[in-house]
Amino acid sequence: MSVWPEVATAKSENRHEIKLAGAAISKRISEEGLDKTVFKLTNINLLNISDTCLPSIPDEIKSLVNLQSLLLYGNKLTEFNENITSLKKLKVLDLSRNQITSIPDSLNNMKELSSINFSSNKIDHMPAFGDFPNLISIDLSNNKLTDFLNTEQANLPHLTDLKIKGNEIETLPGYIASTMPSLKNFDIGENKLKTLPGEIAGMAKLKELNLKGNKLSDKRLMKLVDQCRTKQIVDYIREHCPTSDSNQATSKGKGKKAKKQDEILPDNASELSHTLKIMHLDDDTLKIKIIEQEVWNIRPYILSCIVYGLNFDEALFKKFLQMQNKLHDTVCDKRNVATLATHDMSKIPPGDLVYTAKTPSELKLIPLNRTKHFTGEQLFQQLTNEADALRKEKKRNVYSGIHKYLYLLEGKPKYPCLEDATKRVISFAPITNSEETKMTVDSKSMLVEVTSHSSLGACKTVMDKLLQECLMLGIGEGDGDFHTLTVQQVKIVDPEGNLKSIYPSRTDCVYDSTIKVYRIPKK
């Protein structure tokens, strides 16, 4: 069998990503099998073999020792090849939409994982979870699980998103709150739950709880689940569902006291530590309307906020830009998990923004550091040509700068974008912002947006980290060792105005004692 052209190209250009997807690839696999030469590309950090008839994962997968993202969704896999667990650098593992029935205990060897997606398989049992210090998101929706995940001995300090909808789970364990301290989004809808443990009310950071589709024995709770928001549901669970923790009442009292204190802003707050003032929404606050039918299968998650009180000089502004690049490489996982963008608020006209997706030929903007309009199609081609020219000029087979993110757009029928009230595109995730809303050393306020294809929790993690880093750099108001930033909440709503998410919510921006957070009530 001859080497596939995609593999040959990746090898000759020393690419760090390769994508083999769709009907043409599937036909080749059915006729001659997968080209195993792909497993000799030991420098790649992303392998995507998706939407094909691939029946199994070859053992040679273990050769890809530098792999960070393995995307094998939409195939015909029936078994989890245990050689995957030898990939110590792997961060993103997506085996969704296959026919896998079980997962080995050796999954616990993968300490670097930040995202696990095993949704839409036939998994009826998961191994007990151990130490996952970097795990942010787990998706096990639409499987055949009868028991909840065994996390009793687990270390999941950063897990924010757990989706386990569409299984056959009958009970939830009491230790759920203590083993998932950072959980914000919990979807356990369409299972077989009849009762709930009171410990759920102790999940301090819980923002979204979906219980719909369960046949709960408490009829009042069932009505709340169908009609009310998470806060009302959690309040009811706190008051009416029994808990195995005898100290629950004590901890509730402390929680209420802390909540009240959080809104008291002392006059000398900025003298004691860095200070983050969070302003609650009012009727005139900017909103972002999300067109979910356009972005749901491309990049469905977005959060935003407005930051006031910026105070740059030339040196500090340079550090600010470097900090954003660092976040893209670290917490954003080279934009694989999320992408952040900052805009000068004074350059955005009044009115709500729209987050949608357009075809490459329809999307049009002036990209950062350019002087004319490009369509998405033209910009992709321009950046591809520049990347090839740079590699030839520097005589090295690696991409640099914005060019190294081009693979994130390959094969996409539409590109996500953020429009202002005049329908001008100001952001083209995950590639670039608009030159027209570019931040400068004179910027005094900024709109921050974070988008993700993986989870809302990933967006929140990046947002929290960005605000923390801004304060630590000394960007806010103040001329001593401590500084102050003021953050305005921004709502994400659907076209009818129904709330989808808000940032920062009460469960966001939880820092250590070096940053005090004060939430300023709506006047």
Side-chain angles (χ1 to χ4, degrees):
M1 181 176 70
S2 59
V3 177
W4 287 3
E6 297 88 351
V7 178
T9 300
K11 182 179 180 180
S12 65
E13 297 183 359
N14 194 25
R15 291 190 178 181
H16 288 236
E17 307 87 20
I18 185 167
K19 181 178 181 179
L20 304 169
I25 297 294
S26 187
K27 183 179 180 182
R28 276 188 246 164
I29 291 175
S30 66
E31 293 176 350
E32 55 192 66
L34 180 67
D35 180 5
K36 292 188 179 181
T37 310
V38 69
F39 300 112
K40 295 181 180 179
L41 304 177
T42 55
N43 287 330
I44 61 171
N45 54 43
L46 183 148
L47 174 62
N48 182 340
I49 306 175
S50 56
D51 295 318
T52 75
C53 62
L54 183 71
S56 62
I57 305 168
D59 290 344
E60 288 85 348
I61 189 76
K62 64 185 177 184
S63 302
L64 302 181
V65 294
N66 291 302
L67 209 60
Q68 295 184 22
S69 296
L70 179 59
L71 312 178
L72 299 174
Y73 54 85
N75 294 298
K76 303 295 182 183
L77 305 176
T78 58
E79 294 184 357
F80 183 109
N81 190 321
E82 200 159 354
N83 285 291
I84 291 176
T85 64
S86 67
L87 302 175
K88 304 301 183 185
K89 296 182 180 181
L90 202 66
K91 297 180 179 179
V92 178
L93 177 58
D94 189 342
L95 299 176
S96 60
R97 294 192 287 117
N98 281 284
Q99 299 168 26
I100 296 168
T101 57
S102 62
I103 305 297
D105 292 342
S106 54
L107 180 73
N108 284 288
N109 297 336
M110 308 180 77
K111 307 298 184 186
E112 294 299 316
L113 281 177
S114 63
S115 175
I116 293 174
N117 189 347
F118 296 158
S119 63
S120 300
N121 277 281
K122 298 179 179 181
I123 300 168
D124 57 14
H125 175 74
M126 283 292 293
F129 277 71
D131 183 26
F132 286 93
N134 301 298
L135 194 56
I136 296 173
S137 172
I138 299 174
D139 191 345
L140 280 159
S141 304
N142 302 313
N143 277 284
K144 297 183 179 298
L145 296 172
T146 56
D147 295 319
F148 189 74
L149 306 182
N150 183 351
T151 61
E152 189 168 13
Q153 303 298 323
N155 176 37
L156 300 165
H158 300 299
L159 184 69
T160 60
D161 286 61
L162 176 57
K163 298 178 183 178
I164 200 162
K165 179 181 179 181
N167 282 278
E168 300 172 17
I169 297 168
E170 297 181 357
T171 60
L172 295 180
Y175 56 71
I176 186 170
S178 60
T179 60
M180 301 180 188
S182 299
L183 198 64
K184 296 181 180 180
N185 302 290
F186 185 20
D187 187 348
I188 192 163
E190 298 176 20
N191 276 276
K192 295 184 177 181
L193 298 177
K194 293 182 179 179
T195 60
L196 299 174
E199 280 85 353
I200 288 179
M203 303 176 81
K205 296 187 179 182
L206 194 62
K207 178 65 176 177
E208 298 291 338
L209 174 63
N210 178 29
L211 293 162
K212 292 181 180 179
N214 288 286
K215 296 183 178 180
L216 299 170
S217 57
D218 186 326
K219 301 307 179 185
R220 290 179 63 193
L221 180 56
M222 276 284 288
K223 188 174 182 180
L224 284 174
V225 166
D226 290 334
Q227 299 180 1
C228 297
R229 295 179 181 173
T230 296
K231 184 180 184 303
Q232 287 87 354
I233 296 169
V234 172
D235 285 345
Y236 185 90
I237 292 171
R238 179 180 290 111
E239 296 298 328
H240 297 91
C241 295
T243 172
S244 58
D245 185 353
S246 60
N247 295 320
Q248 184 74 10
T250 303
S251 64
K252 281 193 296 180
K254 290 180 179 178
K256 290 179 180 178
K257 183 177 180 180
K259 180 176 178 179
K260 186 175 180 180
Q261 289 176 341
D262 198 34
E263 294 178 348
I264 300 172
L265 183 62
D267 293 336
N268 64 340
S270 62
E271 297 175 8
L272 307 174
S273 62
H274 293 298
T275 301
L276 193 66
K277 300 178 184 178
I278 297 176
M279 298 169 59
H280 285 213
L281 293 161
D282 57 38
D283 295 338
D284 298 326
T285 303
L286 172 149
K287 297 185 291 292
I288 295 180
K289 296 178 181 178
I290 181 170
I291 312 300
E292 291 179 296
Q293 67 267 30
E294 295 291 345
V295 299
W296 73 270
N297 63 343
I298 299 172
R299 202 172 186 86
Y301 303 103
I302 182 170
L303 286 179
S304 182
C305 67
I306 301 169
V307 183
Y308 298 100
L310 304 180
N311 187 16
F312 293 116
D313 57 28
E314 293 289 350
L316 198 53
F317 186 69
K318 183 177 180 180
K319 289 180 180 179
F320 170 70
L321 298 179
Q322 291 171 340
M323 177 266 288
Q324 290 187 71
N325 290 333
K326 182 180 178 181
L327 291 181
H328 271 138
D329 284 342
T330 54
V331 69
C332 294
D333 189 21
K334 300 186 185 300
R335 306 197 191 191
N336 282 301
V337 172
T339 303
L340 68 90
T342 54
H343 308 268
D344 188 320
M345 193 63 197
S346 68
K347 299 176 182 177
I348 298 176
D352 294 338
L353 308 181
V354 176
Y355 180 57
T356 185
K358 296 178 178 289
T359 63
S361 59
E362 290 177 328
L363 190 152
K364 191 174 183 181
L365 84 164
I366 302 177
L368 274 178
N369 302 318
R370 298 182 188 266
T371 57
K372 67 173 186 177
H373 281 91
F374 286 77
T375 65
E377 189 174 40
Q378 290 169 337
L379 181 60
F380 182 83
Q381 189 58 53
Q382 177 74 17
L383 291 172
T384 301
N385 293 339
E386 289 176 3
D388 291 338
L390 282 170
R391 286 190 295 108
K392 291 176 182 177
E393 177 186 339
K394 297 183 178 181
K395 297 181 179 180
R396 59 183 185 182
N397 292 324
V398 293
Y399 288 111
S400 62
I402 195 174
H403 307 96
K404 63 187 176 184
Y405 303 119
L406 289 175
Y407 75 92
L408 295 169
L409 295 177
E410 288 180 350
K412 299 290 186 185
K414 291 187 176 182
Y415 295 161
C417 61
L418 185 64
E419 297 179 323
D420 66 17
T422 67
K423 296 189 178 300
R424 177 184 64 171
V425 174
I426 64 172
S427 181
F428 169 19
I431 298 301
T432 187
N433 301 355
S434 169
E435 175 72 13
E436 296 176 285
T437 57
K438 181 179 180 179
M439 293 286 292
T440 70
V441 69
D442 298 318
S443 298
K444 299 301 180 186
S445 60
M446 66 178 173
L447 176 77
V448 184
E449 39 123 343
V450 177
T451 60
S452 172
H453 74 277
S454 61
S455 72
L456 198 64
C459 294
K460 293 189 176 192
T461 299
V462 174
M463 275 288 204
D464 285 359
K465 188 64 175 176
L466 174 69
L467 295 177
Q468 179 184 26
E469 292 295 323
C470 284
L471 280 170
M472 295 302 179
L473 280 178
I475 287 171
E477 297 171 339
D479 52 10
D481 293 331
F482 300 108
H483 297 82
T484 298
L485 283 177
T486 300
V487 178
Q488 172 68 68
Q489 290 180 320
V490 170
K491 286 198 298 187
I492 310 298
V493 299
D494 65 18
E496 287 72 43
N498 300 309
L499 180 67
K500 306 301 294 184
S501 56
I502 186 171
Y503 184 89
S505 69
R506 182 166 294 283
T507 58
D508 300 319
C509 299
V510 178
Y511 303 114
D512 60 24
S513 59
T514 60
I515 299 176
K516 295 295 184 184
V517 178
Y518 299 97
R519 303 176 195 273
I520 314 302
K522 178 180 176 181
K523 294 182 179 180

